[in-house]
Each structure stands twice: as C-alpha cells, then as structure tokens.
Amino acid sequence: SSHALVSLLRPKRRMQIAKMPRMAAFAAPACLGLSSPRLHLRQQSPVRLTRPRAARCRMAASEKASPEFAAPLAVEPTDVWEIDFYSRPVVGADGKKLWEMIVTDSSGVLEHVETIPNSMVNSKELRARFQEVMAAERVKPKVVRYFRTQMVNMIRIALEDIEGLTLRPSRRCYALFNVLDDREANVYPKMPGFRKNMRVDNALLNVREPERMPDALLGEKYAFVEMQLSQFGDLKDENIGFGELCPVNPDFDESTVVPGMVIFSRRAKAISGWITGIELAAVGTNLAKRQIVIECGLDKQYLFAKLNDSQRKEAKNFSDRKEDLKGLHFLAVQQSDGDEDIQGFWLLRDVSL
C-alpha cells in the first residue's frame, strides 16, 4: 500500500511539560497488515502526560447532527451496518405509535426503512426482518452498531446469535443519524397522525462520570494540532491501519481547518489497537473542570488529562473549532513528535441527536 502523506498545519504554541508516572506494559494486538500513513507534525513541545485523578463532571451536549454530512464520493457498500428499532412521533389509525426498523451501512449506500406493526415489536420479529435485509444485500454485515440505550437488550437478543456478526453499542452511527434527522425534518411531519409533542427522544444515555484511564491507553505526551481538510484526501479506511474515517460535510471548503489531538507513545501500535476495541466516540473537553476526556461506547468516559492555564486555552481553541465544524475532529496516535508514521487515526464527529 502506498503511504498517505499528511501535514498538520498551524501548530499550537509551546505547552507546559509535566512528569508522567511509569506505564504498565501492554501487549500489542495483531497488526492489520496495512502500511501506515505519514503524519508530518510541526508543533512545538507537546504536553507530557500525568495520570489525572478522577473528578466528577458531565460533558455538555455537542452540536446537533447535521444531515448535510455525507460519505465521500464514489462510495461503496460496507460491511459495517447501523440499526435503529424504535417508535416514531406518528400515531396510526389504531391509535398506537408507529414503529420502524431503519438499517444503513456506514457509507450510507444502504438505506432500508420498514414499518413494524405495534403488535409485532419483539426480538424475534426484529431478527427475521433484519435477516431478510441481509439476504437481499450483496455486501453482508460483519459489524452492527446501534446507539439507542432503550433498545440495547432487544437488539442484542435479536442479533447476537447470527453467525459472523459482531454487535457494537456505539455513538458512531453517523449514517443512521443522518437518516433520522432527514425523516424527522421531512417525512414524519407530513404523515397522517404526526404528533409534534410526541417527537422521539433520540438523546443518548447521560454519559457517566469519567473513569480512571486504563493503563493500556496511557501515552507519554499529547498535543492539540490542526490540519486542512484537503490533506485528508489520501487517508482511507484501507490504508490507515488502526482507525476509521467518518463522513465529512461535502459543503466544507478544502481549506477548512480541522482540530485534532495526537497521542505520542513508544507503544503507539498497542494503544491504537486498544482504542479500536473501545468503540471510540470523541475527544472531549470540560473546561470548567480542566479536563480532557476520551469518550467511547454509549455512556463511558475516561479522564485523559488535567489542564493547567495555558493548556486550558489550547483545549478551548480545540473545543471551539470542533463546535464550529459540527463536532468534526480527529485523534491520531504515533510513537513520537519527531516520527512521521502514524499507527492509528480516527476522524470523528461529536454527535448528539
């Protein structure tokens, strides 16, 4: 595979150095066997990480998901699917809520919407209808993501025994969020029986208080960085090794500057493999508590770092820029600030419906 050449622009100014405790050993998982893209950093001295003590905080909701976000051009169907099975703000002739099963793939090529009679809302029916969608598609799913905490148990019971399928409760259901946004804005209000005051509560479960960061995620240093959107062109899911790329708003200009954070560690490959397994959702900040948090799964946060005054200013710039871009940001992992090869790269959207 060819190397993807990426440059980070507008490096942040020098940040205060702090000591870091000795890290626990962590065995690296099997490599994906893909060439690592290169990340040319030009930032000054990164921050050395110290283990922060857990503190009580709750992250503020981020920008509402935008239906304007779309997959890149010339997209192909993927084997990562997303599913929602829930009631909608529409009452049928029988006086009962409308239920739908929506299935998408991560590229947005697949979009299946199916109405389910209220009397047939159960895991057995969900499984049967999902398998019908599988049978009709050329690219079969290997991973199924779902975000609605109220339906975690039913979806798990319905799908967990399907051979070759991995279930992942996740906030990275970007294509699904776009479909829901579109239907809530343009479809449900035009349907007979629509009830505005019954608008579906799509909110994710309140994120828990941040937990102690696992030793497996500890790096030696980190830095807030930025790069132009045009420089993402050579990055693809196939050549970034560990990581994943979210859809990007096609209306964003190529000169758009995207904020991000880089973790530096001698165990960069091991850390990247571990992040892959936690269903990374976002890099967040709580400026009032002076914290950087790693958000993952549906409702989990890890306390990544504490901020001093100068670091807090960097974190605010990162947070403000991320909000301007409707949550778009990235996380990269590499061995050192002088190393051009990256071991992990995630382009993310901090989404709250």
Side-chain angles (χ1 to χ4, degrees):
S1 301
S2 61
H3 289 291
L5 301 179
V6 183
S7 296
L8 287 177
L9 300 183
R10 302 183 188 177
K12 302 298 184 179
R13 54 186 169 74
R14 186 176 300 275
M15 306 169 85
Q16 183 172 333
I17 302 280
K19 293 182 179 180
M20 178 182 176
R22 185 176 181 180
M23 297 180 296
F26 178 68
C31 180
L32 296 182
L34 297 169
S35 297
S36 299
R38 294 191 171 191
L39 195 66
H40 298 301
L41 287 172
R42 296 192 300 179
Q43 88 290 331
Q44 298 181 14
S45 299
V47 175
R48 293 188 183 277
L49 284 167
T50 57
R51 175 178 290 285
R53 288 182 291 180
R56 294 182 62 82
C57 77
R58 189 171 299 281
M59 299 299 294
S62 56
E63 185 78 19
K64 188 179 186 294
S66 170
E68 297 176 348
F69 278 83
L73 298 176
V75 294
E76 296 291 336
T78 72
D79 58 11
V80 178
W81 286 18
E82 302 163 5
I83 185 170
D84 187 42
F85 185 49
Y86 205 62
S87 62
R88 311 302 181 199
V90 177
V91 175
D94 59 359
K96 297 181 179 180
K97 285 184 179 181
L98 170 74
W99 277 74
E100 288 180 334
M101 180 184 75
I102 301 178
V103 180
T104 68
D105 67 357
S106 60
S107 69
V109 172
L110 168 63
E111 182 179 323
H112 176 91
V113 180
E114 185 173 350
T115 299
I116 311 294
N118 196 281
S119 60
M120 303 179 73
V121 175
N122 56 66
S123 57
K124 182 178 179 180
E125 189 68 23
L126 175 59
R127 178 188 179 96
R129 293 178 184 246
F130 182 83
Q131 287 182 310
E132 289 178 1
V133 179
M134 284 183 59
E137 293 300 317
R138 174 178 59 86
V139 178
K140 310 301 181 185
K142 295 181 180 178
V143 173
V144 175
R145 288 179 171 141
Y146 48 98
F147 74 97
R148 203 180 295 277
T149 56
Q150 303 96 317
M151 303 306 294
V152 165
N153 288 337
M154 183 179 290
I155 292 175
R156 177 181 54 80
I157 292 171
L159 307 182
E160 65 180 348
D161 292 332
I162 296 179
E163 185 177 357
L165 209 58
T166 299
L167 304 182
R168 293 183 183 172
S170 175
R171 285 175 266 179
R172 294 219 308 264
C173 298
Y174 304 124
L176 182 59
F177 293 155
N178 289 343
V179 173
L180 286 169
D181 270 0
D182 177 67
R183 293 185 67 77
E184 289 183 4
N186 303 311
V187 178
Y188 303 137
K190 299 177 182 178
M191 297 177 68
F194 173 69
R195 300 289 186 270
K196 185 176 181 179
N197 61 352
M198 288 175 53
R199 189 179 185 279
V200 179
D201 179 12
N202 289 333
L204 303 170
L205 183 68
N206 287 335
V207 177
R208 298 173 181 171
E209 307 302 337
E211 302 177 10
R212 180 181 185 270
M213 189 169 58
D215 290 338
L217 185 56
L218 285 173
E220 288 99 38
K221 296 181 289 186
Y222 76 92
F224 287 113
V225 292
E226 294 176 335
M227 62 185 290
Q228 284 191 345
L229 192 59
S230 60
Q231 296 171 309
F232 287 95
D234 290 330
L235 289 174
K236 297 179 176 60
D237 286 332
E238 293 78 15
N239 72 355
I240 58 175
F242 293 113
E244 193 170 340
L245 306 176
C246 77
V248 175
N249 189 333
D251 292 334
F252 284 167
D253 188 88
E254 287 189 352
S255 62
T256 298
V257 176
V258 181
M261 188 176 79
V262 181
I263 299 173
F264 303 106
S265 174
R266 290 165 292 180
R267 302 177 304 111
K269 185 179 293 186
I271 290 176
S272 298
W274 187 87
I275 291 175
T276 298
I278 65 173
E279 200 62 24
L280 176 68
V283 177
T285 59
N286 187 308
L287 300 178
K289 297 290 185 179
R290 297 173 176 266
Q291 296 172 335
I292 301 173
V293 294
I294 301 295
E295 301 193 37
C296 54
L298 291 182
D299 60 357
K300 187 180 289 293
Q301 287 184 344
Y302 291 120
L303 182 54
F304 180 77
K306 298 285 285 184
L307 302 166
N308 62 26
D309 288 342
S310 64
Q311 294 159 8
R312 185 177 181 274
K313 292 178 181 178
E314 301 289 348
K316 185 179 187 306
N317 291 337
F318 167 82
S319 181
D320 289 347
R321 188 60 187 154
K322 186 173 74 168
E323 185 175 356
D324 290 342
L325 298 181
K326 294 182 171 64
L328 187 67
H329 64 294
F330 64 89
L331 176 69
V333 183
Q334 56 188 124
Q335 289 192 345
S336 71
D337 52 319
D339 187 11
E340 294 182 349
D341 290 335
I342 61 172
Q343 301 299 325
F345 189 93
W346 290 262
L347 184 61
L348 304 161
R349 279 171 56 203
D350 196 347
V351 175
S352 179
L353 286 181

